[in-house]
Amino acid sequence: MSEEEKIVQTLEEDDEFEDFPVDSKWTEKSGGISGESLWEEDWEDDNSDEFSEELRKELEKSRK
Amino acid sequence: MSLSEFIGDVRDALKKHNAAALCKFLEINPQDNKGPLIARFNDPNDFDLYEIDERFRNVIKSYIKLMKSIYLVNDIKKSFEDYNEMVIQLNRYAELQTNWINLTLMKCCKELIGIYSVMEKSFPEEIKNNNQSNEIFTDRKQSALEILANTINKSFKLSLNDKNLDLSQSKRIDIYFFLSILIKIYFKLGNIELAKSIEKALKGTRFELPAFNKKLKDKASAITYLYYSSILSLEDSDFKSSQSKLESALNLLSYYQDISRVKKNHQKILILLLPLKLYNDKKIPKDIIWKQFPTLKYLYKDNLFEFILKGQIFQLNNFIIKVQAFLLKSNLYLLFENLKRLCMISLIKKTVHIHQSLNEDTKTNHIIPFSAFNVTITYSTHGKSQKDYTENFDEIECILASLIADGFIKGYLSHSNKCIVLSKTVPFP
């Protein structure tokens, strides 16, 4: 089984939200795993990737 | 320790509203190995119990019966039945009490679930078959999980219906404990409608509920509840509400001292939140997330999001098929059907950009012929070059019209000239 297939299988099998450990400890201060700082400002449109080049070629071909 | 001494201790705990002591007196594994001793007590009669609140008498009777099932009969199924009966009686007692009883009630609910888990492990096939029984037969015996759900539901309702306006003094202060257990059981039973019904009851209350902030006492239960509740919103295609619940869950989780201990739950929240954030806010996470969660990197960054952001329809469809069992199980399938539109927008943006770079006349490069979209959409859908691109302008026009109508594109279509005239200022708001 490939690495990818293993990941897909794990995702399919894993379904229950686990109970938190009995001795869970919580702090007063947030650990910074949430909030806006977690996200990129905006995703840039990448027009220089390989797929864009393929599209460009197809469009050029069709114009001839 | 004799029966009368035991009853005397319980009486004192009840009088003083000493929940911690009461919890100890209702332990199934009491200190100093007293379990077998309690199991040998005679069944108490009303005379033995005359000093005990009438509603609590049945709790004691059930407890001693339970101890006999555990220590003398050694029967896990009987123990579950007896423990369940004890919690039912405790619920009845709690009806007339203030929230001092919550601690005892929560402890007993937890222990009841523990007994259910042992029973499930001891008789996995029997329990599984019973839980999956065909619901058409309404006269069938209730499954153990349904019995458990009914009992916890009573505790939940006690909490929800406490009319004390002071939240700190109300049973509602611990509502997320009961709610999280109940919603999880309903999901396990596969009964989404019941899960939705408790959400409805929750929304219907006019009383204050604990806020999801850093002051919240039982963050673990609130996170669990918010996670399942977000799935209910996903089911209803209410993507904004689902995202908002997951963001609240993540915010509460950020107060966990050692986040690596709950990494699986952290990942489960992100599995749902990431595509929702992309759909609702057009935002993707920073690299730190991909580094921490290689599974998410493979699933989203390297595949699904990559294809969506690049406009690769063929690759996106193929990968969705590859992981469709997971998407269906996670209630994400519908969301990704919607995200296909984002993929189409990416492709259209790319087409416009390339067409403009090929068109030297800057005065007309906001006008894009349908033929250009016909080429790129066909190419992207098939994932390979075509010998000739059959004109399918009706479909192109429909796609563009729908995106204009939904505000993704600013411009208008010219049917006769077979082109789209884009806004010169903001073609893609």
Side-chain angles (χ1 to χ4, degrees):
Chain A
M1 193 186 279
S2 73
E3 203 54 40
E4 285 189 0
E5 283 167 333
K6 274 185 201 164
I7 295 177
V8 174
Q9 197 185 27
T10 320
L11 283 167
E12 284 171 12
E13 283 168 358
D14 184 24
D15 65 343
E16 207 170 76
F17 198 76
E18 290 182 347
D19 290 335
F20 282 80
V22 184
D23 58 345
S24 285
K25 287 195 177 100
W26 301 83
T27 59
E28 282 292 298
K29 215 177 152 196
S30 161
I33 58 158
S34 64
E36 279 311 300
S37 62
L38 199 67
W39 310 97
E40 296 284 0
E41 277 303 303
D42 233 332
W43 44 279
E44 294 289 320
D45 293 327
D46 184 6
N47 291 309
S48 58
D49 61 312
E50 205 179 310
F51 185 61
S52 295
E53 275 314 301
E54 291 169 22
L55 291 175
R56 178 184 292 277
K57 277 182 194 160
E58 291 303 307
L59 277 174
E60 280 174 338
K61 209 167 74 183
S62 70
R63 285 159 72 102
K64 282 172 191 166
Chain B
M1 185 178 62
S2 66
L3 174 64
S4 61
E5 282 169 335
F6 171 75
I7 292 172
D9 287 343
V10 173
R11 176 203 59 210
D12 291 346
L14 291 174
K15 271 188 183 162
K16 290 175 187 163
H17 288 182
N18 186 345
L22 194 59
C23 285
K24 279 185 189 166
F25 298 134
L26 297 178
E27 282 265 357
I28 53 170
N29 196 8
Q31 280 180 340
D32 305 327
N33 239 350
K34 282 182 196 155
L37 186 77
I38 296 170
R40 286 189 180 82
F41 283 166
N42 288 332
D43 290 338
N45 55 36
D46 284 349
F47 179 73
D48 296 321
L49 296 164
Y50 79 98
E51 281 189 303
I52 300 287
D53 182 312
E54 205 184 325
R55 285 189 175 223
F56 204 81
R57 290 178 191 171
N58 282 338
V59 179
I60 296 181
K61 284 179 186 172
S62 307
Y63 173 68
I64 293 172
K65 201 175 163 198
L66 161 71
M67 296 301 268
K68 289 182 196 300
S69 298
I70 295 173
Y71 290 94
L72 304 181
V73 188
N74 268 321
D75 184 339
I76 186 70
K77 290 182 195 169
K78 184 82 179 56
S79 303
F80 174 76
E81 271 178 42
D82 291 342
Y83 206 121
N84 185 59
E85 179 58 28
M86 187 179 87
V87 179
I88 290 172
Q89 295 302 335
L90 192 58
N91 275 330
R92 208 175 146 253
Y93 173 75
E95 282 171 12
L96 300 180
Q97 301 300 311
T98 63
N99 71 355
W100 80 271
I101 197 69
N102 277 10
L103 184 71
T104 313
L105 200 52
M106 289 192 290
K107 181 247 165 205
C108 288
C109 286
K110 253 189 233 172
E111 214 158 53
L112 179 61
I113 292 163
I115 291 185
Y116 173 82
S117 304
V118 173
M119 190 167 71
E120 194 178 36
K121 277 178 195 149
S122 310
F123 305 97
E125 284 308 310
E126 195 180 327
I127 296 291
K128 198 178 164 191
N129 292 340
N130 201 357
N131 287 343
Q132 290 172 347
S133 297
N134 195 333
E135 286 186 27
I136 295 167
F137 303 106
T138 47
D139 59 343
R140 75 180 170 88
K141 258 181 86 179
Q142 274 190 323
S143 74
L145 198 55
E146 283 170 321
I147 291 170
L148 182 63
N150 286 345
T151 306
I152 308 280
N153 193 2
K154 287 195 181 88
S155 307
F156 162 69
K157 280 184 180 157
L158 267 181
S159 179
L160 181 69
N161 296 329
D162 188 334
K163 293 180 174 58
N164 192 329
L165 291 175
D166 181 356
L167 180 63
S168 67
Q169 298 301 314
S170 159
K171 292 194 195 90
R172 297 190 309 279
I173 196 76
D174 293 308
I175 194 162
Y176 300 128
F177 172 84
F178 302 108
L179 193 51
S180 63
I181 296 173
L182 200 52
I183 200 165
K184 199 170 171 177
I185 295 175
Y186 287 149
F187 268 85
K188 200 168 175 178
L189 281 167
N191 200 331
I192 300 294
E193 287 312 309
L194 279 176
K196 283 184 181 170
S197 74
I198 52 168
E199 280 272 90
K200 210 173 159 187
L202 200 69
K203 277 182 193 160
T205 184
R206 56 196 167 91
F207 298 105
E208 184 191 359
L209 297 176
F212 298 116
N213 57 31
K214 76 173 195 177
K215 287 180 185 164
L216 186 67
K217 204 171 63 172
D218 184 3
K219 294 187 180 70
S221 294
I223 292 168
T224 307
Y225 158 65
L226 284 165
Y227 173 77
Y228 284 104
S229 179
S230 77
I231 296 178
L232 295 180
S233 299
L234 262 180
E235 272 260 327
D236 291 338
S237 295
D238 188 351
F239 300 135
K240 293 246 182 220
S241 165
S242 184
Q243 178 184 326
S244 161
K245 288 167 185 172
L246 290 164
E247 282 172 340
S248 295
L250 197 60
N251 182 42
L252 291 176
L253 193 67
S254 71
Y255 293 97
Y256 201 85
Q257 195 175 53
D258 181 3
I259 197 77
S260 62
R261 289 184 74 198
V262 286
K263 197 168 180 182
K264 264 184 115 176
N265 282 352
H266 189 183
Q267 177 166 297
K268 285 197 86 64
I269 291 172
L270 291 174
I271 279 180
L272 303 182
L273 179 59
L274 264 47
L276 281 165
K277 192 83 179 169
L278 180 63
Y279 182 76
N280 291 325
D281 298 342
K282 315 285 174 289
K283 283 191 174 174
I284 51 172
K286 286 187 174 164
D287 280 345
I288 187 161
I289 294 289
W290 308 131
K291 280 177 193 158
Q292 282 175 5
F293 298 96
T295 307
L296 298 187
K297 181 178 179 291
Y298 164 75
L299 184 67
Y300 292 144
K301 185 178 190 288
D302 299 344
N303 289 288
L304 290 167
F305 288 6
E306 166 87 357
F307 304 140
I308 289 168
L309 301 185
K310 284 194 171 165
Q312 293 178 290
I313 298 168
F314 178 78
Q315 287 84 345
L316 178 63
N317 287 341
N318 268 0
F319 196 80
I320 285 178
I321 290 168
K322 192 173 173 180
V323 294
Q324 70 178 355
F326 156 74
L327 293 177
L328 284 165
K329 205 171 175 182
S330 315
N331 293 279
L332 284 171
Y333 194 85
L334 209 57
L335 177 63
F336 273 93
E337 278 300 309
N338 282 280
L339 275 165
K340 282 181 182 176
R341 292 194 93 198
L342 211 57
C343 181
M344 181 61 81
I345 294 162
S346 302
L347 180 63
I348 284 170
K349 276 186 182 176
K350 265 190 163 58
T351 309
V352 170
H353 182 267
I354 297 166
H355 180 82
Q356 287 175 339
S357 70
L358 295 173
N359 183 12
E360 284 163 9
D361 183 1
T362 53
K363 280 183 188 164
T364 60
N365 69 5
H366 64 293
I367 302 169
I368 321 289
F370 291 160
S371 60
F373 298 113
N374 188 48
V375 170
T376 54
I377 292 173
T378 310
Y379 179 77
S380 181
T381 307
H382 292 89
K384 60 181 180 193
S385 184
Q386 306 292 302
K387 272 187 184 167
D388 59 281
Y389 289 93
T390 317
E391 283 186 6
N392 196 0
F393 291 172
D394 284 347
E395 190 186 338
I396 301 297
E397 209 171 341
C398 276
I399 292 169
L400 293 172
S402 152
L403 292 173
I404 291 172
D406 291 341
F408 292 110
I409 299 176
K410 212 170 168 186
Y412 63 90
L413 301 175
S414 173
H415 181 74
S416 53
N417 293 319
K418 296 183 175 63
C419 66
I420 182 170
V421 182
L422 292 168
S423 155
K424 283 183 183 172
T425 48
V426 198
F428 300 102

